[in-house]
Amino acid sequence: MSTDVISVAILAMGGEGGGVVSDWLIDVAEHNGYVAQATSVPGVAQRTGATLYYLEFYPKSQIPVDAAPVLALLPFPGQVDLVVASELMEAGRALQRGLVNPQRTTLITSTHRVYSMTEKTAMADGRVNQDQLLKGTQAAAQQWIGLNFLELAELCSAPIGPALLGAVAASGRLPFGREQFESAIQRQGVGVASSLRAFAAAYDAVRLGPSPSAAARKLQPGPRLAALAKRIATEFDAAAHDTLLLGVARLADYQDIGYAQLYLNRLADLQAKSRTTAAQWLPDAAKHLAVWMSYEDVVRVADLKTRRSRFQRISTEVRQQDGQLIQIHEYLHPRVEEIADTLPAAWGRWLLSSDTARRWVKRWLEKGRMVQTSSVRGYLLLYLLAALRPLRPRSMRYALEQTRITQ
């Protein structure tokens, strides 16, 4: 293989914009004196295999008259100059494929994780060890660049693609300047402003170093949770502090401060009675208890679907432009049991025990309902359901779950 050929491999899951990044790189190369070629090999599924985009560039100045370069369709192990992974596990996959050469390859990876189903469904911490992944990818590459580019992009209301392009530009591995990359984004003409913001944020983060992450900021409790944070710091084993901070934030958001205090009371009681070191079990116990105490019910679903942040996220995901309107339709099909769970305990038990009441409610629910939450009527319907949150402690489901948790 000629050393004049520049080879680039991009590994990205469906919907992450790997094809857009590939198109931008082809555009940059073709507008700056290179012959460019791109191919793609789709994975089996979004989580069992990413799409591999492979690009090669060859300088037109090196091509003899009446000749054309023959560029490869697939990467050859150990012969790739630049590998870009949209997520940390995909960087690991690049290593498995032999694409990363410690004498040649620059590896750019976003350090966030998109967990597989087996990782998500494990009762304990079933995640692949992220520290080992990071160490492995760092050791395998000649130049390693790793940041949470998804987080940077989200702060700019953009997808991850332009942030990855900014990292490529900042790496200095391709013979193009920052302005040439930005020009490619501008020529595409879609979502230019947000893409340029994400590009600049990633470029500056690679060149100057990252600012404190959003994940770190989430662990800084606001004034509302300050007393609970102080209690965590003084009463609980340090190994569980981060999990406990996330737990109290989750439960205060789910119900109220008193509910978050109940969460800490339960864990404090467990810690006091334990005959083993809390560091061995407290982080997992804190995680599972927080998830259990924030069980999903009709009130919770309605609350989440009517939050301003959800409408903003949807607007960003569909790349809503000025002057465009979005209609959001929810298909809701609650069962009789879910209605009973939301009612006061005595009413809920009556509904489940009365055949007449069950048949009447089931007839009303059997076809489900299509609710347009972007309309005033649809939004108010869910908003009123979400407003039942103060009454949740009187519901049948709440009494049942608290009994089970106590046992």
Side-chain angles (χ1 to χ4, degrees):
M1 179 182 290
S2 169
T3 56
D4 293 323
V5 173
I6 300 172
S7 53
V8 179
I10 304 170
L11 292 87
M13 292 182 291
E16 290 187 325
V20 176
V21 177
S22 174
D23 291 343
W24 277 331
L25 290 174
I26 292 294
D27 182 274
V28 171
E30 290 181 339
H31 279 82
N32 293 280
Y34 282 76
V35 173
Q37 176 178 280
T39 59
S40 64
V41 179
V44 177
Q46 286 192 351
R47 183 60 278 181
T48 57
T51 298
L52 171 64
Y53 302 88
Y54 182 63
L55 296 76
E56 286 196 348
F57 311 139
Y58 192 85
K60 293 179 180 178
S61 60
Q62 301 294 325
I63 303 174
V65 179
D66 298 327
V70 177
L71 303 179
L73 299 177
L74 293 171
F76 190 81
Q79 299 294 324
V80 182
D81 298 308
L82 175 63
V83 173
V84 181
S86 66
E87 183 257 354
L88 187 56
M89 185 64 81
E90 299 309 327
R93 292 180 188 274
L95 267 62
Q96 286 184 323
R97 296 183 180 192
L99 302 181
V100 182
N101 184 331
Q103 281 76 47
R104 174 171 184 163
T105 307
T106 292
L107 173 60
I108 297 173
T109 180
S110 181
T111 55
H112 76 281
R113 285 297 324 280
V114 178
Y115 299 117
S116 64
M117 288 304 298
T118 54
E119 289 177 296
K120 291 178 179 179
T121 57
M123 283 303 296
D125 189 348
R127 295 172 296 176
V128 173
N129 189 303
Q130 183 160 319
D131 292 336
Q132 291 182 357
L133 270 176
L134 285 169
K135 291 177 182 177
T137 57
Q138 289 170 347
Q142 181 189 54
Q143 179 189 13
W144 183 89
I145 297 172
L147 291 170
N148 192 331
F149 293 112
L150 177 63
E151 182 179 276
L152 286 175
E154 288 177 343
L155 291 173
C156 299
S157 301
I160 191 174
L164 293 175
L165 187 71
V168 169
S171 72
R173 193 57 193 265
L174 299 184
F176 313 116
R178 174 173 180 167
E179 296 78 10
Q180 293 164 313
F181 287 97
E182 291 175 329
S183 295
I185 294 175
Q186 292 168 343
R187 280 192 291 270
Q188 187 189 51
V190 177
V192 173
S194 60
S195 293
L196 288 175
R197 287 196 302 271
F199 175 94
Y203 186 96
D204 293 340
V206 171
R207 288 292 180 93
L208 305 175
S211 58
S213 68
R217 291 194 294 274
K218 287 178 182 177
L219 291 176
Q220 300 300 319
R224 183 166 172 252
L225 300 178
L228 295 180
K230 184 177 180 180
R231 181 181 176 187
I232 288 170
T234 56
E235 295 185 21
F236 293 93
D237 191 281
H241 283 180
D242 287 353
T243 305
L244 288 167
L245 285 170
L246 292 172
V248 296
R250 179 187 182 104
L251 295 172
D253 174 72
Y254 177 83
Q255 187 62 35
D256 52 32
I257 294 293
Y259 199 52
Q261 290 173 337
L262 175 61
Y263 166 72
L264 293 183
N265 291 343
R266 285 171 166 160
L267 290 171
D269 187 48
L270 280 176
Q271 185 173 245
K273 294 178 179 179
S274 175
R275 296 181 180 179
T276 59
T277 304
Q280 298 176 2
W281 58 267
L282 186 56
D284 280 341
K287 170 189 172 184
H288 295 312
L289 182 58
V291 172
W292 193 351
M293 289 181 67
S294 56
Y295 60 88
E296 288 196 356
D297 56 9
V298 172
V299 176
R300 180 64 166 174
V301 171
D303 177 32
L304 294 175
K305 286 185 177 295
T306 52
R307 293 193 176 189
R308 178 180 298 178
S309 58
R310 178 173 185 256
F311 291 96
Q312 293 172 338
R313 175 175 57 79
I314 292 174
S315 175
T316 299
E317 288 176 352
V318 302
R319 300 183 184 183
Q320 182 182 14
Q321 304 296 316
D322 292 340
Q324 290 183 327
L325 298 177
I326 296 177
Q327 290 187 353
I328 304 171
H329 296 267
E330 319 280 356
Y331 179 68
L332 305 178
H333 195 175
R335 299 171 299 164
V336 174
E337 292 77 8
E338 291 172 308
I339 299 300
D341 284 343
T342 308
L343 296 173
W347 295 8
R349 289 192 293 268
W350 170 79
L351 174 58
L352 294 180
S353 63
S354 170
D355 291 339
T356 302
R358 285 177 65 95
R359 284 196 298 269
W360 184 84
V361 174
K362 191 173 182 179
R363 186 182 303 115
W364 182 66
L365 297 175
E366 61 184 353
K367 294 183 179 180
R369 291 288 185 275
M370 187 71 73
V371 179
Q372 184 181 338
T373 47
S374 53
S375 69
V376 173
R377 180 180 179 183
Y379 181 87
L380 285 177
L381 174 63
L382 293 186
Y383 183 82
L384 291 173
L385 285 173
L388 296 175
R389 180 166 66 172
L391 301 179
R392 180 187 278 136
R394 303 179 185 177
S395 69
M396 186 179 76
R397 176 75 180 277
Y398 182 92
L400 178 62
E401 295 296 348
Q402 302 312 312
T403 300
R404 289 172 174 171
I405 290 170
T406 301
Q407 291 171 348

